[in-house]
Amino acid sequence: MQNSLIHHIKQFISLEPSDIDKLESCLEISKIKKKEHILKEGQICNTMYFVVKGCMRQYIINPKGAEQTLQFGIENWWITDYLSYHNHIPSNFYLQAIENSEVIAIDKTVLESLLIEIPNLERYFRIVMQKSFGAMQMRIKFLFTMSAEERYHHFNDHFPEFVQRVPQYMLASYLDFSAEFMSKIRAGKV
Amino acid sequence: MQNSLIHHIKQFISLEPSDIDKLESCLEISKIKKKEHILKEGQICNTMYFVVKGCMRQYIINPKGAEQTLQFGIENWWITDYLSYHNHIPSNFYLQAIENSEVIAIDKTVLESLLIEIPNLERYFRIVMQKSFGAMQMRIKFLFTMSAEERYHHFNDHFPEFVQRVPQYMLASYLDFSAEFMSKIRAGKV
DNA sequence: TCAAAAACTTGAACTACTTCAAGAAATTCA
DNA sequence: TGAATTTCTTGAAGTAGTTCAAGTTTTTGA
C-alpha cells in the first residue's frame, strides 16, 4: 500500500520516481492516541501534519475556560497552526487527536529542503493552500449568513458520516453555538 | 517607480532579471472606479487581482437582501474568489472597489503559464497563501471568542488608519454585527 | 455650490441565542 | 462487567445582539 500522502500529491502534480524516493525517505507515519496533543497553546509550531487516518482538531480555550473547536482535520487534510509555523511565534491553538490517528509529521526544516529538492512540491502546496483558503471563504460566508439551525442542517446534509464521527459538543462549537442549543436543534425544540 | 507587485514578490523570493522582464510584459495596471465591480455573483472568476492602490472588498447579498462584507483587500493584497477561480464554478461573491483603485489583474491562463515559466513564482504564491490562511485562522478565533464590542476595539487598535478609510457599516458587517450596533459601541451606549 | 445621495445615530421592541443546573444516557477501560 | 467518565438532554432565566423607523449629519458630483 502506497504512502497516502504521495497518493494525494499525485492528484495535483506529477512526481519523478526519484522524487518519490526522496519523499519516502523523509516521511514516516506516527501514531497519535485519542486525546493526545501534538501542539499546545504557547508552543511554537514547527511541523505540518498530514492526516493519514483518524481525525484531529484545532481548538482553543476561550476566556471563560471552555474549549472551542475551530477546525477538524480528517484523512488527506493538512493541519497545523500556519501563523505559528510561518512566523515562528507561539501558537494560539491546541492540536489534538479526537480518534486514534496516524499522521505524517513533516518538520519545517525537512520540508524546506524537500521544497528545494523537489520544486514541483511548491506547486502542490500552493494548490492545496488555495483550495483551503477558498473553503475558508465559504465557511465565513456560512457563519455570517446562516442561523445556528441552518448551519447545523447544512453541515449535516453535506457531511452526514462526519457528524456521526465526532462528539456533538465539538461540532456545536465548530459551528459556533452551544452544545445545549445543538441538542435542542436536534430534538426539533427550537 | 517599480511595479509594486514585483516589489512584493521580491520580499519572498529572488527573481532573475529575465523573470522580471517576463513578468513586466504580462502585467498591466488597470484602474477601477469606486463602486465598480470586478466580479458579480454567478460569474466565474478567472482572474486574480493584486491591489496596487486603493481598496477593494468581497461581499455577498444575504437572504434578507442586505450587503455583507466578508473581506477587504488593500495595497499589496491579493483578492479573488479562490473557489470559483480554482474549480471554475460560478461565484458566490461580489468583488467591488470601495475607493478609486488600481489593480493588477492576472488572468488564470496567463498566470498558469507564468508559473510554468518562472517556477519560483509557485513558491511566492505558496507562501502568500499560507500567510493568508494563517490570518484567516486567527480571524475565526476572534469571531468565535470576542464579543462585538471586543472585536471592534481589537480591530480599531490594530488598524486605526484603516478604520478611517472605510464606511462604518461595511466594517460592522465585516466584524459580523449590525451598523446600528456599531454606532452604539462607538457612542459608548452598550 | 447646493441638491441628492450616502452614511451615521438613536431608542424601543424583539429574538436567537447563552448560561446554569441537574439529571439521563452512552461510552470507556481496569 | 460495572464503576467512572464522558456526552447528551431539558427547562427556566437572562442577554448580547438585531430590527425597525425616523431623524441627523456628511459626502458626492453635476
Side-chain angles (χ1 to χ4, degrees):
Chain A
M1 189 185 85
Q2 179 155 48
N3 184 311
S4 72
L5 172 54
I6 290 175
H7 182 258
H8 190 250
I9 293 172
K10 280 176 156 178
Q11 293 178 358
F12 297 96
I13 60 162
S14 55
L15 285 171
E16 300 295 319
S18 63
D19 295 339
I20 295 178
D21 290 346
K22 264 181 218 153
L23 270 168
E24 279 181 334
S25 70
C26 290
L27 307 178
E28 65 184 56
I29 291 181
S30 54
K31 298 194 186 235
I32 319 284
K33 283 227 180 82
K34 185 171 175 172
K35 294 199 182 168
E36 195 178 320
H37 285 91
I38 55 177
L39 179 73
K40 290 187 181 177
E41 190 182 351
Q43 295 177 340
I44 292 174
C45 181
N46 289 310
T47 313
M48 293 198 35
Y49 300 93
F50 180 82
V51 181
V52 172
K53 192 157 172 297
C55 186
M56 312 289 295
R57 68 165 175 153
Q58 179 196 55
Y59 72 95
I60 50 165
I61 304 211
N62 71 20
K64 285 169 197 152
E67 289 179 6
Q68 208 148 356
T69 299
L70 302 187
Q71 194 79 248
F72 294 106
I74 57 167
E75 287 84 1
N76 295 321
W77 281 78
W78 287 94
I79 193 160
T80 192
D81 174 351
Y82 286 96
L83 214 63
S84 172
Y85 178 89
H86 198 273
N87 297 338
H88 205 70
I89 54 175
S91 178
N92 285 270
F93 306 111
Y94 295 82
L95 290 177
Q96 183 194 44
I98 57 181
E99 296 173 0
N100 291 327
S101 300
E102 298 176 13
V103 303
I104 294 173
I106 309 191
D107 215 64
K108 190 172 180 174
T109 53
V110 173
L111 182 54
E112 288 295 320
S113 55
L114 274 174
L115 288 168
I116 287 162
E117 286 188 83
I118 312 173
N120 212 11
L121 218 49
E122 293 278 9
R123 183 174 175 83
Y124 165 73
F125 281 105
R126 195 261 302 165
I127 293 170
V128 165
M129 290 311 301
Q130 275 186 358
K131 280 170 68 94
S132 303
F133 191 82
M136 204 66 132
Q137 286 185 327
M138 287 305 290
R139 184 170 177 210
I140 296 274
K141 175 184 159 159
F142 295 141
L143 284 169
F144 276 32
T145 58
M146 292 179 175
S147 68
E149 195 179 358
E150 287 167 339
R151 294 199 298 280
Y152 171 71
H153 289 307
H154 183 263
F155 194 89
N156 206 28
D157 289 349
H158 284 74
F159 311 104
E161 20 22 81
F162 185 74
V163 173
Q164 302 306 317
R165 223 171 134 175
V166 296
Q168 279 174 42
Y169 72 91
M170 285 188 196
L171 183 55
S173 74
Y174 174 80
L175 295 174
D176 203 20
F177 48 77
S178 68
E180 293 90 336
F181 198 62
M182 168 82 110
S183 231
K184 285 161 197 172
I185 292 170
R186 287 163 51 92
K189 293 185 181 168
V190 302
Chain B
M1 192 186 82
Q2 181 157 47
N3 183 311
S4 71
L5 172 53
I6 291 174
H7 183 258
H8 190 250
I9 294 173
K10 280 176 155 177
Q11 293 178 357
F12 297 95
I13 60 162
S14 56
L15 286 172
E16 300 294 321
S18 63
D19 295 337
I20 295 179
D21 290 347
K22 265 180 217 152
L23 270 168
E24 278 181 333
S25 71
C26 290
L27 307 179
E28 66 184 57
I29 291 180
S30 54
K31 299 194 187 236
I32 318 285
K33 283 229 181 78
K34 185 172 175 172
K35 296 198 182 167
E36 195 178 320
H37 286 90
I38 54 178
L39 179 73
K40 290 188 181 176
E41 189 181 352
Q43 295 178 339
I44 292 174
C45 181
N46 289 311
T47 312
M48 292 198 35
Y49 300 92
F50 180 82
V51 181
V52 172
K53 193 157 172 296
C55 186
M56 312 289 296
R57 66 164 176 156
Q58 179 197 54
Y59 72 95
I60 50 166
I61 303 211
N62 71 20
K64 285 169 196 151
E67 289 179 6
Q68 209 149 354
T69 298
L70 303 187
Q71 194 79 246
F72 294 106
I74 57 167
E75 286 84 1
N76 296 320
W77 281 77
W78 287 93
I79 195 161
T80 192
D81 174 352
Y82 286 97
L83 214 63
S84 172
Y85 178 89
H86 198 273
N87 297 337
H88 204 71
I89 54 175
S91 177
N92 285 269
F93 306 111
Y94 295 82
L95 290 177
Q96 182 195 45
I98 57 181
E99 296 173 0
N100 291 327
S101 301
E102 297 175 14
V103 304
I104 295 172
I106 310 190
D107 215 65
K108 190 172 181 175
T109 53
V110 173
L111 183 53
E112 287 294 321
S113 55
L114 274 174
L115 287 168
I116 287 161
E117 286 188 82
I118 312 173
N120 213 11
L121 217 50
E122 292 278 9
R123 182 175 177 81
Y124 164 73
F125 281 105
R126 194 262 302 166
I127 294 170
V128 165
M129 289 313 300
Q130 275 186 357
K131 280 171 68 94
S132 303
F133 191 83
M136 205 65 133
Q137 286 186 326
M138 287 303 291
R139 183 169 178 211
I140 296 274
K141 175 185 159 158
F142 295 140
L143 284 170
F144 276 32
T145 59
M146 291 179 175
S147 68
E149 196 180 357
E150 287 167 338
R151 293 199 298 279
Y152 172 72
H153 289 308
H154 183 264
F155 194 90
N156 206 28
D157 290 349
H158 284 73
F159 311 103
E161 24 14 87
F162 184 74
V163 173
Q164 302 306 316
R165 222 171 134 176
V166 295
Q168 281 174 42
Y169 72 92
M170 285 187 196
L171 184 54
S173 73
Y174 174 80
L175 295 173
D176 202 20
F177 48 78
S178 68
E180 293 90 338
F181 198 63
M182 168 81 110
S183 233
K184 285 161 197 173
I185 291 171
R186 289 163 52 92
K189 292 185 183 171
V190 302

